[in-house]
Amino acid sequence: MNGYSLAQKRDEVLAYVAHKHGCSIADLKGPRGKQALANARHEAMWMLRQLGMSYPRIGAILGGRDHSTIVHGVMKHAERTHKDLRPAGEAANEVLQDLEERLERSK
């Protein structure tokens, strides 16, 4: 996703996850919710982490959550989906490739 600002990537991740899970970006940033919303939020945390964002930064983006909450969410998503935690992992590359294609189409 070269050539795009981190803010553009962040916004695209949040829109992608919200659309995929049938919720709003405000829901992802909001306070507690049902398990399905927590799963969506965990996926967003994982994807933002794959972009190289720090845990505190992701927490700030998602409604001021503590960095330890983000660490937990990233781990839960990885366990649930068996995705590689390494930024260079194949799962991360697939997700980021999909987002890059979406950004290209939206130009």
Side-chain angles (χ1 to χ4, degrees):
M1 291 182 66
N2 297 327
Y4 297 99
S5 72
L6 200 53
Q8 287 173 305
K9 293 174 188 177
R10 174 204 62 212
D11 293 346
E12 187 64 23
V13 163
L14 295 178
Y16 175 85
V17 172
H19 176 75
K20 178 180 175 185
H21 290 274
C23 63
S24 70
I25 293 172
D27 290 335
L28 294 174
K29 294 179 176 184
R32 294 182 185 176
K34 297 180 180 177
Q35 186 61 43
L37 183 55
N39 290 343
R41 196 175 290 126
H42 292 165
E43 182 173 355
M45 292 172 184
W46 180 85
M47 291 176 74
L48 292 169
R49 183 66 181 156
Q50 299 314 303
L51 292 174
M53 291 186 181
S54 69
Y55 294 115
R57 179 71 187 125
I58 297 167
I61 290 167
L62 294 175
R65 288 176 166 75
D66 186 79
H67 77 280
S68 63
T69 301
I70 306 305
V71 171
H72 173 78
V74 168
M75 299 280 288
K76 289 296 282 187
H77 180 74
E79 289 170 7
R80 189 171 40 258
T81 60
H82 305 289
K83 289 186 178 172
D84 193 346
L85 287 174
R86 295 173 292 134
E90 288 180 27
N93 289 336
E94 289 173 18
V95 168
L96 296 177
Q97 179 64 36
D98 182 50
L99 289 173
E100 185 172 343
E101 290 169 8
R102 287 172 50 102
L103 283 170
E104 286 296 326
R105 287 192 302 266
S106 69
K107 280 187 172 181

